[in-house]
Amino acid sequence: MRDPLTALTDTFTSFLFGKIESTRLPVRTSTGQAQAVYLPTAAPGLGDSGVIIGREVYSGKGYIYDPFQLYGQQLPAPHWLVLGESGNGKSALEKTYVLRQLRFRDRQVVVLDAQGEDGVGEWNLIAEELGITPIRLDPMAALDMGIRLNPLDPAITTTGQLALLRTIIEVAMGHGLDERSGFALKVAHAYVNETIVERQPVLTDIVEQLRHPEPESAEAMNVAIDDVRAWGLDVALVLDRLVDGDLRGMFDGPTTIGIDLDAPLIVFDLSHIDRNSIAMPILMAIIGVWLEHTWIRPDRKKRIFLVEEAWHIISSPFVAQLFQRLLKFGRRLGLSFVAVVHHLSDVVDGAAAKEASAILKMASTRTIYAQKADEARATGRVIGLPRWAVEIIPTLTPGIAVWDVNGNVQVVKHLVTETERALVFTDRAMTESSRDLDLTDDALRAAELEAEERAAAFVEQHLSDLDDSSESTVA
């Protein structure tokens, strides 16, 4: 409170000279110093319920993603596309994602493992850790009582069997079946299903019936029996490859008894199949349809179907059509399809461009690791990334990716815990030696490692908390 003498003096001065305004001198500073006067801001995340992936690069916040938690609110579909050059962290992301999802008690995962070395698939270590034996599809092993999947398994509906047979033939031939060949296949399949009831029908039965059609088949269409035989000849030759050719043993017998479709993780090891042969898309089709009819059930479980080398699916119009139906059907029963592809150009410029685009539109989540500049621009155009995201994709370092979750775009660093590291990084000797060559500042690297260890500890704690509360947080 001002004293009376000061107040009187100020009043008299103002009367004589007018009111005196005080002036505050300007303060010069840098933006780096001035930012402290502003509250920190960051883009909203995806919520705090689900599986932790890592941390957002720009804000430092934890990044949590779960398609089952987000579906219907922030996601129109639970399907996910992962893109990027080799060696940038796609494999590590997939494996830790699956391991963390399996901590929920109502999750189940199927993996089509198309890569591997030393005679086993890339997911072999994880399967062993969980006490699971991979389903190894190998033509040589199949001849010696190995794993078989029967396209004519009674668990698959007759309509599904016929659609699968058509797809196998169309993939192998490289074009669609004409009406006459399709008719020959249809009548052979119908006859086999009607007459063979004491055992599972197999492909050998279809091939035999195509070669020696029944007179009733010709009479039904008022054509000669020789015509029906000629119409089915090409079809028989294609199926013969699965019966007595380079793919024999895997599909020409009853489905192997004992395949545990109730296990939390089911791994189909395709590493013994030539990835560039026609066998791979045929395998994808057979496994996809077989799982659709035997694995996906209305039992309130949330299922993840992860496909390595998924371009074998979405580069073939016939296989893509089967999976397109599977994705639409599976969405109602809690299926999340995860497709892993190196280059988007592998599929969008191919023969299945229309089908590939339809599948890509179903993937509301896209994760893009480092790509070359021209590939990044093409990817950005196809999936509609903002310009800033396209520009940084070529500069991303391993483990960092652009995440686009239905328009919510973030740059995320994937974090791996020490527990997961031994299972995830199977090429550790190679990566450590190349990483050491890049070290130019030991102190900086030590600080970075310390920060990553703290972040990984945060992830470990989150996963531990998840174990304690999984029953209450599962949707």
Side-chain angles (χ1 to χ4, degrees):
M1 184 148 178
R2 301 168 67 191
D3 60 276
L5 180 59
T6 301
L8 179 61
T9 303
D10 289 345
T11 301
F12 180 76
T13 304
S14 300
F15 177 77
L16 292 179
F17 305 106
K19 188 169 180 64
I20 299 175
E21 297 286 344
S22 61
T23 302
R24 179 174 294 176
L25 295 176
V27 177
R28 297 185 178 276
T29 185
S30 67
T31 54
Q33 293 171 323
Q35 68 179 351
V37 303
Y38 294 98
L39 293 175
T41 59
L46 301 175
D48 57 2
S49 181
V51 172
I52 189 163
I53 301 296
R55 67 167 183 260
E56 296 175 12
V57 169
Y58 297 137
S59 69
K61 295 190 303 181
Y63 192 79
I64 296 175
Y65 168 79
D66 192 309
F68 303 112
Q69 299 288 345
L70 299 173
Y71 177 65
Q73 302 174 22
Q74 300 183 53
L75 278 182
H79 309 307
W80 180 15
L81 175 68
V82 183
L83 294 165
E85 302 274 0
S86 297
N88 282 284
K90 297 193 306 297
S91 179
L93 173 66
E94 299 154 25
K95 291 173 182 175
T96 56
Y97 175 74
V98 166
L99 286 169
R100 295 169 190 180
Q101 279 283 3
L102 290 177
R103 290 174 180 260
F104 289 96
R105 292 181 174 87
D106 70 340
R107 301 294 197 261
Q108 198 178 27
V109 183
V110 162
V111 175
L112 300 194
D113 183 5
Q115 304 186 71
E117 55 186 17
D118 299 329
V120 296
E122 193 176 2
W123 286 74
N124 192 67
L125 272 178
I126 290 177
E128 286 183 351
E129 181 70 16
L130 298 178
I132 292 165
T133 302
I135 302 169
R136 185 163 294 119
L137 291 171
D138 181 353
M140 300 306 296
L143 295 174
D144 188 25
M145 301 303 291
I147 297 294
R148 281 186 173 89
L149 296 178
N150 185 12
L152 302 178
D153 192 317
I156 304 175
T157 63
T158 54
T159 303
Q161 291 175 11
L162 184 57
L164 180 53
L165 290 172
R166 287 186 66 99
T167 300
I168 293 169
I169 296 162
E170 288 171 337
V171 169
M173 297 175 68
H175 60 76
L177 279 180
D178 58 36
E179 294 298 329
R180 294 180 177 184
S181 297
F183 171 76
L185 176 64
K186 177 182 175 182
V187 296
H189 175 252
Y191 181 83
V192 166
N193 270 343
E194 289 171 4
T195 58
I196 299 178
V197 294
E198 72 280 359
R199 59 175 174 83
Q200 282 191 17
V202 293
L203 288 180
T204 305
D205 301 320
I206 299 289
V207 173
E208 184 64 21
Q209 186 59 28
L210 287 167
R211 288 172 173 166
H212 306 288
E214 295 298 316
E216 293 83 358
S217 303
E219 293 171 3
M221 293 297 291
N222 196 25
V223 295
I225 189 69
D226 289 339
D227 289 337
V228 176
R229 184 181 297 109
W231 296 347
L233 181 58
D234 287 344
V235 176
L237 291 174
V238 171
L239 291 179
D240 185 66
R241 182 177 179 183
L242 300 180
V243 173
D244 198 28
D246 54 342
L247 297 179
R248 68 188 184 280
M250 292 189 293
F251 311 111
D252 57 347
T255 299
T256 301
I257 297 174
I259 296 177
D260 185 7
L261 293 178
D262 293 320
L265 175 65
I266 305 165
V267 177
F268 286 90
D269 183 350
L270 312 180
S271 60
H272 287 253
I273 310 297
D274 182 359
R275 284 184 282 172
N276 296 314
S277 74
I278 198 68
M280 191 62 80
I282 290 176
L283 274 169
M284 296 283 189
I286 292 175
I287 293 173
V289 174
W290 188 73
L291 287 173
E292 176 186 345
H293 291 271
T294 60
W295 178 57
I296 301 176
R297 301 187 290 269
D299 54 5
R300 301 185 66 82
K301 278 197 174 184
K302 307 295 189 295
R303 291 181 165 88
I304 299 168
F305 188 11
L306 190 151
V307 182
E308 301 264 15
E309 301 287 340
W311 67 272
H312 291 294
I313 291 174
I314 50 183
S315 64
S316 166
F318 313 110
V319 182
Q321 288 166 11
L322 279 179
F323 271 81
Q324 192 175 344
R325 188 188 75 246
L326 171 63
L327 267 58
K328 289 180 179 178
F329 170 77
R331 186 166 58 181
R332 292 185 282 111
L333 294 177
L335 175 70
S336 173
F337 176 65
V338 184
V340 185
V341 181
H342 289 287
H343 306 288
L344 206 54
S345 58
D346 290 340
V347 293
V348 297
D349 298 329
K354 179 181 177 182
E355 291 80 4
S357 297
I359 290 179
L360 292 176
K361 287 179 182 177
M362 293 184 186
S364 300
T365 301
R366 295 86 171 261
T367 301
I368 304 96
Y369 283 89
Q371 296 178 330
K372 294 182 175 64
D374 55 346
E375 184 74 23
R377 287 191 292 269
T379 299
R381 283 194 302 270
V382 172
I383 65 178
L385 287 176
R387 180 183 296 180
W388 67 265
V390 173
E391 291 176 350
I392 68 169
I393 287 174
T395 69
L396 296 174
T397 56
I400 299 179
V402 171
W403 282 66
D404 177 6
V405 182
N406 195 33
N408 185 322
V409 183
Q410 301 285 351
V411 182
V412 179
K413 181 176 179 60
H414 172 226
L415 296 173
V416 182
T417 68
E418 287 302 319
T419 304
E420 298 165 328
R421 191 172 296 276
L423 301 175
V424 167
F425 294 122
T426 54
D427 58 346
R428 194 167 189 175
M430 291 290 293
T431 56
E432 282 183 347
S433 60
S434 61
R435 195 180 296 136
D436 289 342
L437 295 176
D438 296 330
L439 298 182
T440 57
D441 188 339
D442 291 341
L444 180 62
R445 181 60 182 164
E448 182 180 325
L449 286 173
E450 183 181 353
E452 289 191 5
E453 287 173 1
R454 289 198 303 270
F458 167 70
V459 175
E460 194 90 65
Q461 181 61 47
H462 179 89
L463 294 176
S464 176
D465 294 341
L466 185 61
D467 281 336
D468 296 335
S469 60
S470 59
E471 287 186 343
S472 62
T473 57
V474 169

